[in-house]
Amino acid sequence: MSPQARRDDLIRAALDLFGSRAPELVTVDDIVARAEVSRPLFYRYFSSLRELQVQALRTVTDGLIDGLAGLEEGPPEVRLRAAVRGLIDVADHYRAGYIALLRSGSVISTSETDAAIDEVRNRAVALILDALGVTDPSPLLSLTLRCWTAVVEGALLSWLQERTVPRESLDTWLVDQLTAMLGATAQHEPAGTTGVPAGS
């Protein structure tokens, strides 16, 4: 197995374990047992458990960005629903890792993981602007989209932990939330300001 393949295997083992417990509760012994390697081999590829935790969580954020990467053809609502479904799929697949990334006060939160989360948020905003056909958003529209990304994060965190809402309705509900927020923003835009497209 190549060095990169071995690293990837250890990261997969950690993410598998994150599915049953919080990342900060997963030990090196847990990971090497799951990956069926020795502790010395683990430390050939990662200098510390912390480094592996950060790399594993970076895998989650990379997955979220990939989930946002492909926009379907069609009207904005169809394209945005597809993107939200991609986010839901990745968040559900990496449930514990996603919760750890966004949980306030997480002991494994670092400036690197925070930057990775911001990258996902920035990608989400860029995607929405592209779907809406807006190249020069007003400050109020930009603020609206940032607020909506917080709504999505909060909703997914609650849904992953409680499962009180059917998965099939999540993407439609979240896009409806965005539509309502865009409508409110349009009513407050100054005349002549580039913001929400007509009809949003």
Side-chain angles (χ1 to χ4, degrees):
M1 186 177 289
S2 71
Q4 186 59 53
R6 177 61 72 190
R7 280 178 61 89
D8 291 344
D9 192 49
L10 288 166
I11 289 172
R12 278 194 298 272
L15 288 170
D16 286 345
L17 291 165
F18 291 174
S20 59
R21 72 193 83 163
E24 56 262 35
L25 299 179
V26 174
T27 68
V28 172
D29 287 337
D30 295 328
I31 294 167
V32 298
R34 176 61 64 91
E36 299 181 341
V37 299
S38 65
R39 283 178 64 93
L41 187 63
F42 173 92
Y43 287 107
R44 281 179 56 188
Y45 295 99
F46 296 97
S47 62
S48 65
L49 177 59
R50 178 84 169 189
E51 181 186 354
L52 175 58
Q53 289 170 334
V54 170
Q55 287 299 314
L57 295 181
R58 181 69 212 210
T59 298
V60 179
T61 57
D62 286 348
L64 292 170
I65 291 170
D66 289 344
L68 289 168
L71 279 176
E72 294 185 358
E73 294 299 320
E77 182 178 349
V78 171
R79 303 172 80 197
L80 292 173
R81 283 186 61 184
V84 173
R85 281 197 302 273
L87 282 179
I88 295 170
D89 288 344
V90 175
D92 197 22
H93 182 72
Y94 295 121
R95 177 183 175 277
Y98 183 85
I99 292 171
L101 270 172
L102 297 178
R103 187 173 55 203
S104 177
S106 173
V107 300
I108 57 176
S109 176
T110 67
S111 58
E112 183 177 343
T113 58
D114 289 345
I117 294 168
D118 283 340
E119 187 177 345
V120 175
R121 293 167 178 159
N122 291 338
R123 173 60 186 157
V125 169
L127 179 149
I128 299 165
L129 290 173
D130 181 59
L132 295 175
V134 175
T135 57
D136 184 22
S138 69
L140 193 56
L141 176 57
S142 294
L143 181 59
T144 300
L145 300 185
R146 294 288 177 187
C147 289
W148 183 72
T149 62
V151 169
V152 172
E153 289 174 3
L156 287 182
L157 276 178
S158 296
W159 179 76
L160 289 170
Q161 296 174 90
E162 301 167 6
R163 304 281 182 170
T164 54
V165 175
R167 177 181 179 141
E168 297 75 22
S169 65
L170 265 184
D171 59 329
T172 300
W173 176 71
L174 286 168
V175 173
D176 284 349
Q177 292 282 331
L178 176 60
T179 301
M181 293 173 72
L182 291 174
T185 295
Q187 295 178 29
H188 292 272
E189 289 282 19
T193 301
T194 302
V196 184
S200 295

